[in-house]
């Protein structure tokens, strides 16, 4: 897991200190969540450029609304709130640009990324491509729960609340995602490269 | 919390949440008792554990072999800078907006009211329905012509009667009237001549008449 559970000071306490004007509390919050949030967005939107843009937008929005954050209102605390903002930003992006365009753009960016760095990562390239293809071939609603569970280390109850679905639905999607992934990794030939999905895959709604 | 387990739909859901360690102590104990007595469930749990591990390992491997969307130091620096700017803005005192209180505008209001009254009165006066010029009760208050009717008032211009053919009776009446007028004029002239004759002071030209 990418998040550190053994933190002496809670995120909520850091938020209180940040509100009081403590810069170091802000730095600590950023250090705790920056990398995992970036990875989550990178896997979610399948584009480095868009992930970076959304990452900045998420933190900007978080700071803008930090005074409204209520740690005692439930809903999983600061981390769940941060990832909820990020997920909403990604949804807004999907809605704005349309899924088809996003897929095309991410395909272009993936191709651009792979080109110049291929010589430096020869040994990992094949594994990366097949793993990336397997994860990206997951239906969006399943992938979202898997990514939130892995990168944000949120509880299933928090994830269900964040996504606005019943707990059983969230657990069912997670189970399907894992089964799907196991099947894809066991049969790599059935994994399609991203952007070459069939019509059925394109019709998935995030 | 006993209801929590009962609310879960199937074994996969129960095992997933058990693997995630999100059950209360009592629920966890209950699941462990189920697992102890059910070998198939234990097998299912093991498959689920391996599958979950495979999914997490896949993501970990992918993260290790692919570069992040932005270099971590750069991303962290950007967020840190945003945090500092945010706290700086909050530390800065709110700009005091000077509220300039003007005295009550009673003078302006009274002048405005007077102007409105004057304009209203003028409009009322101009558009008053006018009376005929010979009417004795017509008094135009404030008119520049006093009690005289304004020559510019179209109501005061006497209309020109339409020309028409006079009947014979009317012609006769007009003729009679004109004759009567001329006769009375002559009579008055004679009367003047008689008066001049009895007055010697007016001698010169009275004699030219040839009368004694």
């Amino acid at each position: 897991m990418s998040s550190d559970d053994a933190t002496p000071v809670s995120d909520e306490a850091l938020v209180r200190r940040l509100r009081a004007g403590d810069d170091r509390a802000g730095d600590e919050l950023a250090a705790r969540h920056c990398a995992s949030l970036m990875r989550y967005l990178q896997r979610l939107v399948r584009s480095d450029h868009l992930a970076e843009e959304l990452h900045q937008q998420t933190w900007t929005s978080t700071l803008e609304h930090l005074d409204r954050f209520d740690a005692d209102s439930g809903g999983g605390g600061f981390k769940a709130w941060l990832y909820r903002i990020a997920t909403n930003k990604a949804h807004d992006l999907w809605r704005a640009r349309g899924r088809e365009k996003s897929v095309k753009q991410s395909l272009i960016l993936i191709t651009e990324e792979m080109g110049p760095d291929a010589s430096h990562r020869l040994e990992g390239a094949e594994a990366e491509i097949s793993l990336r293809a397997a994860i990206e071939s997951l239906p969006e609603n399943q992938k979202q729960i898997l990514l939130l569970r892995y990168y944000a280390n949120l509880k299933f109850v928090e994830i269900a609340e964040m996504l606005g679905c019943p707990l059983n639905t969230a657990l069912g999607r997670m189970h399907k995602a894992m089964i799907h992934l196991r099947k894809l990794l066991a049969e790599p030939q059935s994994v399609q490269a991203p952007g070459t999905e069939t019509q059925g895959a394109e019709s998935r709604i995030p | 919390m006993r209801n929590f387990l009962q609310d879960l739909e199937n074994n996969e859901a129960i095992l997933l949440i058990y693997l995630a360690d999100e059950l209360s102590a009592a629920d966890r104990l209950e699941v462990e008792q189920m697992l102890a007595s059910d070998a198939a469930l234990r097998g299912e749990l093991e498959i689920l554990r391996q599958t979950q591990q495979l999914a997490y390992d896949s993501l970990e491997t992918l993260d290790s072999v692919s570069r992040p969307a932005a270099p971590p130091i750069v991303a962290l620096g950007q967020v840190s800078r945003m945090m500092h700017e945010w706290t700086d803005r909050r530390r800065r005192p709110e700009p005091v907006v000077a509220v300039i209180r003007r005295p009550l505008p009673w003078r302006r209001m009274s002048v405005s009211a007077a102007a409105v009254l004057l304009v209203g009165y003028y409009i009322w006066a101009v558009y008053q329905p006018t009376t005929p010029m010979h009417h004795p009760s017509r008094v135009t208050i404030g008119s520049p012509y006093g009690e005289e009717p304004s020559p510019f008032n179209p109501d005061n211009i006497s209309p020109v009667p339409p020309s028409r053919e006079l009947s014979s009776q009317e012609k006769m009446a007009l003729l009679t009237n004109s004759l009567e007028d001329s006769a009375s004029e002559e009579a008055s002239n004679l009367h003047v001549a008689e008066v001049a004759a009895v007055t010697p002071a007016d001698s010169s030209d009275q004699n030219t008449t040839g009368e004694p």
Side-chain angles (χ1 to χ4, degrees), chain A residues 181-197:
Chain A
L181 203 57
R182 186 180 63 186
K183 189 179 171 187
L184 290 173
L185 292 174
E187 302 164 7
Q189 65 275 10
S190 67
V191 178
Q192 287 180 303
T196 62
E197 289 101 332

Side-chain angles (χ1 to χ4, degrees), chain A residues 19 21 23 27 39 42-43 56 60 63 67 117 128 149 151 155-156 168 171 175 178 182 185, chain B residues 7-9 12 16 20 22 47-48 51 56 58 63 66-67 78 80 82 84 86-87 90-91:
Chain A
R19 279 178 185 157
D23 288 334
D27 290 342
R39 283 291 193 190
Q42 190 181 9
R43 298 283 166 254
Q56 283 201 16
T60 305
L63 289 172
D67 286 328
D117 291 348
E128 180 187 352
R149 180 76 191 139
Y151 288 112
K155 292 180 178 177
F156 283 114
N168 279 309
L171 289 166
H175 185 249
M178 293 193 307
R182 186 180 63 186
L185 292 174
Chain B
D7 286 342
L8 296 176
E9 277 178 351
E12 288 83 13
L16 261 178
E22 293 178 25
I47 291 169
L48 207 56
T51 310
Y56 291 168
S58 301
D63 286 346
S66 66
R67 62 182 180 184
Q78 283 173 347
S80 182
M82 284 163 61
H84 284 256
W86 184 77
T87 49
R90 285 169 70 90
R91 277 196 211 107

